[in-house]
Amino acid sequence: MYISKSKRPNGKYFISIAKGIRDPKTKKSKKIQIKGFGTHDLDSKSGKEALAQAEADLKEMIRLDEASQGFENFEDFIESLSKDKLSLNHKNLGYLPYLKIFNQLKLPNFLLKW
């Protein structure tokens, strides 16, 4: 993962956190945007703040990525967070009750056969 600064035609830069991956079908590398911080002039106050926020978020994402190694699925990793005292910056954890119902109904197997 890295911080990407893409120059726009108006001279400002779009700041984002991106990750380079290799497409298994085409065997070509491509960039996936993970989180965007908007378009800013890098010399302005808002540009410097956005860049600082991107750097802080990148450090946290790398730390969580390293901590998540060795888990079979995302649910096991989330459950271990409370034990290890790790934290997540985002609040997208509301789907976990639905994930349990999804697994109890054996929908993953059904969808794979369908």
Side-chain angles (χ1 to χ4, degrees):
M1 283 187 277
Y2 58 94
I3 295 176
S4 173
K5 295 177 268 188
S6 304
K7 190 169 185 176
R8 299 294 180 213
N10 62 2
K12 295 183 178 183
Y13 289 85
F14 181 75
I15 301 170
S16 65
I17 296 176
K19 184 175 185 176
I21 64 162
R22 184 166 300 278
D23 187 354
K25 294 179 184 175
T26 63
K27 305 291 186 206
K28 294 183 179 180
S29 62
K30 63 181 181 178
K31 176 174 94 169
I32 296 177
Q33 179 182 325
I34 298 173
K35 184 175 181 181
F37 295 90
T39 304
H40 301 279
D41 182 9
L42 295 180
D43 296 328
S44 70
K45 182 180 176 184
S46 68
K48 291 177 183 177
E49 288 173 355
L51 202 52
Q53 182 64 43
E55 289 172 358
D57 286 359
L58 178 62
K59 286 180 185 177
E60 180 72 10
M61 287 179 186
I62 290 172
R63 185 176 72 82
L64 287 172
D65 189 44
E66 290 171 355
S68 70
Q69 300 300 317
F71 289 96
E72 231 175 270
N73 58 40
F74 187 69
E75 186 177 5
D76 293 342
F77 172 62
I78 293 297
E79 289 174 359
S80 75
L81 287 179
S82 60
K83 297 174 190 171
D84 295 338
K85 302 292 187 225
L86 293 174
S87 66
L88 294 174
N89 273 341
H90 57 78
K91 311 282 188 279
N92 286 341
L93 300 177
Y95 74 93
L96 286 178
Y98 299 108
L99 180 64
K100 186 172 183 177
I101 295 168
F102 186 78
N103 289 328
Q104 286 176 346
L105 293 174
K106 298 179 183 172
L107 290 177
N109 293 336
F110 174 76
L111 295 175
L112 286 175
K113 293 177 185 175
W114 190 54

